[in-house]
Amino acid sequence: MSRSKIIDKGDLTLAQLNRDLWLQVDTNLLTAEAKAVYLKRKEAIDHYVENEKSQAEIYNLTGVDRKNLIRLYTRCISYDPYGVPWGYRGLIPNKKLKPYELNPRSRKFNESRKTGEFALLLEKHPKISDEIENLFFGRKKLSEPVMRPKYIHKKFVDKCKELEIPRSEYPFNTEHLGYRALCRHLENLRDKHFGKASSRYGHDAEQKAKNSGIGQQNYPRTITPYQDVEFDGHRFDGIWVITIKTLEGDDAVLTLDRLWVLSFIDRATDNIIGRPHISLNKEYNATDVMIAAKKAVMPVQKMNLTIHGLSYQPTGGYPSERFKDIEWAVWDVIHFDNAKSHLAEMVRERLRNLIGCATCLGAVDKPMRRPHIERFHQTLTSSSMQRMVNTTGSHPEDPRRKEPEKMAMRYEMTFEHLEEILDVVVANYNGTPHGSLFYNSPLEALEQRLNKGMIPRLLSETKRSEFVFTQVEQPRTVRGSHKSGKRPYIEYMGVEYRNDLLANSAHLLNTKLSLHVNVDDLRTIRAYLPDGSEFGLLVAAGKWCLTPHSLQMRKAINILKRKKLIHFTQWDDPIFVYHEYLLTQAKTKKKRVANHIAKTKQVMKKREEEKNSDLDESLAAEQASISALEKAREQQAKLQTAKANTPTSHRRFKTITRW
């Protein structure tokens, strides 16, 4: 064979022809004898490719004859299993470049040796190979999800019998019926199909194997604060309780269903950019997402701690608390997964029109695309929640899980305590040095970036209201009638809304208004005319305007009223009636009802706090009117009671007739 037929072959690629692209060999790892042989071979190949010496001269210099030279060069330009030319690696003495293949027709064939028989069997019977792979990777619906090798071997033998392989042939002519060869084949399958094989070790391993560690790893790192943030919800690994007063006046402790914590983290500095939101719902919804966003944007103030010994670190805190220049700071891009609450219309509309950010939805079931928030939740769980006596652990068999419900009730680990603990843990997290930040704390890293002029975008002052975060737009028609004498009103979720202006605007009857509804507080609704001008704030009728309540709570009350499970008049506060109903149900449905009771306690607590604050004029006027009506009603009731208790005397008059 001439040299030109090897080197100048038209189908050779640049990776095969260019020796600079060949993978090298570390000769220090070879034995002295193997190193000497390798160096002679390398010298011969270099002369052969450079075309400076004849094959006779190459033989005189290196001892590599023509036949061996062609064989070695063919090894160098052949491809390895990964599609890369072997290059200089093909010159290593005794290196096998391709797996052993049994050839029964060869003169060297030894019937006593079974090497290669298994591979030959699979090549001859592809159905056996398919059966083994299906069982190993759990592709068959009726098979075990993770079948062990000894059970795969049993199926392998059954398949061989099904194909009527003679008992005198492999695998029936071996001592263990090919079991050891099958195990080696399964190991090769595991190594060759890493992602698929990882499913045998659990869902988490499969996720990481299929979605990380491959492709371009040098992604550009975000260094500008608030340029990219990540959001996600995490289920608390612990049981908490609430204390209630029963209708009989006794104290009782109820366990809550497991709660959710919702957090925002800055990719550039690893700061948790606002106080995390705790959701009492079974699954957090779109309203919870926007409440968490509101807490991330609005300035944060430290809580008044009631737990003895619990304190904030001097270096900890929140970005808006430590740096006044970035109060009301907002982000440019938000990254989260495809949870239904993230895809809700309210979330997408508020993020686009209020925050003014772009949304990056991660692929389904790929948490590694949001590594910062996932790592924070892992740290939060391992360093705090799973160290408490009320922890549920990471799985049912976790040794740290020791009757969490009893422990939570025994030590009265209440929901209020959870709020304080979570706030302190997160604030201290922001002040703790991180290895990824070269042992700067997130707050220190943020301070350095701010000093370099990397100031994030701030929310417009016209939008700095806590109500706009949970606001949705709903069209409603003005109702009313001259015939019945009912003044104009708007009905939303079974409750009438009006103000003095609407009550005297009969010309708006049957006109469709645009309502801006705060789904977290339905006491008031802001109305806009069809031309876009603001009409004013409409207030809920009756005592619906007294206690803050969400859309979800309003729906629950309406359902119970429709089923005639609760009843209230215009003189009753529906939220308190709903709370009393939940207390009656707490005896039988503890966990499910306890979360609802906790939510009603929150809104009633908010009402108490609002008594000392300035309310909106319309809301304050309506509440003052209700208060005056209540006093008048109480006064009337007292008068009626006094009148009923006053003894009555009857005079009898006698008629005298005079003649």
Side-chain angles (χ1 to χ4, degrees), residues 231 262 264 275 277 287-297:
F231 169 80
L262 285 70
F264 283 82
R275 178 172 288 130
H277 171 60
T287 304
D288 291 319
V289 175
M290 292 315 301
I291 292 176
K294 175 180 67 176
K295 292 183 177 181
V297 175

Side-chain angles (χ1 to χ4, degrees), residues 275-287:
R275 178 172 288 130
H277 171 60
I278 302 175
S279 172
L280 288 159
N281 296 318
K282 186 176 182 179
E283 294 290 339
Y284 68 90
N285 53 31
T287 304

Side-chain angles (χ1 to χ4, degrees), residues 127-187:
K127 291 184 178 180
I128 297 178
S129 178
D130 294 341
E131 180 76 6
I132 293 173
E133 290 189 14
N134 291 337
L135 294 173
F136 184 70
F137 294 122
R139 294 173 183 163
K140 282 199 169 185
K141 294 183 179 180
L142 299 179
S143 65
E144 299 177 33
V146 182
M147 185 174 286
R148 296 174 61 183
K150 66 177 183 178
Y151 301 120
I152 296 178
H153 177 255
K154 184 179 183 303
K155 296 289 185 181
F156 161 71
V157 174
D158 293 341
K159 193 67 176 179
C160 291
K161 293 178 180 179
E162 180 184 333
L163 296 176
E164 299 181 353
I165 296 177
R167 296 304 178 98
S168 59
E169 294 183 6
Y170 188 88
F172 299 109
N173 57 2
T174 62
E175 182 179 357
H176 300 288
L177 301 179
Y179 177 73
R180 294 177 181 175
L182 174 65
C183 290
R184 289 192 294 269
H185 179 68
L186 295 178
E187 291 177 359

Side-chain angles (χ1 to χ4, degrees), residues 175-356:
E175 182 179 357
H176 300 288
L177 301 179
Y179 177 73
R180 294 177 181 175
L182 174 65
C183 290
R184 289 192 294 269
H185 179 68
L186 295 178
E187 291 177 359
N188 292 334
L189 285 177
R190 179 195 62 190
D191 297 338
K192 184 178 181 180
H193 305 281
F194 188 87
K196 294 179 182 178
S198 296
S199 62
R200 295 174 58 85
Y201 301 93
H203 182 63
D204 292 341
E206 182 183 11
Q207 273 186 332
K208 294 177 182 177
K210 290 185 177 181
N211 302 304
S212 63
I214 54 177
Q216 178 58 257
Q217 300 299 310
N218 297 321
Y219 296 110
R221 178 174 173 82
T222 302
I223 62 173
T224 304
Y226 287 76
Q227 180 177 346
D228 290 85
V229 301
E230 297 176 7
F231 169 80
D232 202 5
H234 179 71
R235 203 79 177 265
F236 270 124
D237 292 340
I239 299 296
W240 302 84
V241 301
I242 58 168
T243 56
I244 63 171
K245 281 277 188 183
T246 64
L247 297 177
E248 294 80 11
D250 302 324
D251 292 331
V253 180
L254 300 179
T255 59
L256 296 170
D257 201 357
R258 290 178 61 184
L259 310 175
W260 289 90
V261 56
L262 285 70
S263 315
F264 283 82
I265 191 170
D266 176 33
R267 273 191 171 183
T269 61
D270 283 348
N271 272 289
I272 304 300
I273 61 176
R275 178 172 288 130
H277 171 60
I278 302 175
S279 172
L280 288 159
N281 296 318
K282 186 176 182 179
E283 294 290 339
Y284 68 90
N285 53 31
T287 304
D288 291 319
V289 175
M290 292 315 301
I291 292 176
K294 175 180 67 176
K295 292 183 177 181
V297 175
M298 294 181 63
V300 180
Q301 294 181 353
K302 289 183 177 179
M303 299 179 65
N304 295 323
L305 304 179
T306 60
I307 301 177
H308 179 70
L310 188 66
S311 63
Y312 296 96
Q313 290 182 3
T315 58
Y318 293 94
S320 60
E321 173 197 351
R322 293 287 300 273
F323 310 107
K324 301 302 180 182
D325 293 340
I326 60 172
E327 289 183 347
W328 298 97
V330 292
W331 48 87
D332 297 328
V333 181
I334 181 172
H335 301 261
F336 46 40
D337 58 21
N338 281 274
K340 289 186 177 180
S341 56
H342 304 164
L343 302 175
E345 179 62 28
M346 182 181 74
V347 174
R348 292 187 295 174
E349 190 272 333
R350 290 290 82 193
L351 290 176
R352 180 176 61 253
N353 297 329
L354 176 63
I355 305 296

Side-chain angles (χ1 to χ4, degrees), residues 465 467 471 490 496-503 513-518 521-529 533-541 545 614-623:
S465 170
F467 302 109
Q471 177 179 290
I490 290 287
E496 296 180 5
Y497 287 81
R498 62 163 60 90
N499 58 13
D500 291 339
L501 181 58
L502 181 61
L513 303 184
S514 177
L515 306 182
H516 288 192
V517 182
N518 175 21
D521 188 353
L522 294 184
R523 291 180 298 175
T524 60
I525 290 177
R526 194 168 296 277
Y528 290 82
L529 295 174
S533 57
E534 183 177 346
F535 184 74
L537 200 67
L538 308 181
V539 183
C545 70
D614 296 330
L615 294 175
D616 185 270
E617 293 182 2
S618 301
L619 190 59
E622 186 70 19
Q623 293 191 7

Side-chain angles (χ1 to χ4, degrees), residues 442-468:
L443 288 173
E444 290 173 344
L446 177 60
E447 183 178 13
Q448 294 183 31
R449 311 285 170 85
L450 295 177
N451 293 335
K452 294 177 182 177
M454 300 181 186
I455 306 298
R457 183 169 52 91
L458 302 182
L459 187 66
S460 172
E461 293 186 5
T462 59
K463 299 178 179 179
R464 294 182 183 181
S465 170
E466 61 177 315
F467 302 109
V468 297

Side-chain angles (χ1 to χ4, degrees), residues 580-593:
E580 291 180 358
Y581 169 78
L582 293 176
L583 293 179
T584 61
Q585 300 296 307
K587 297 179 181 179
T588 56
K589 305 173 184 177
K590 291 186 177 181
K591 273 194 176 181
R592 190 195 309 175
V593 174

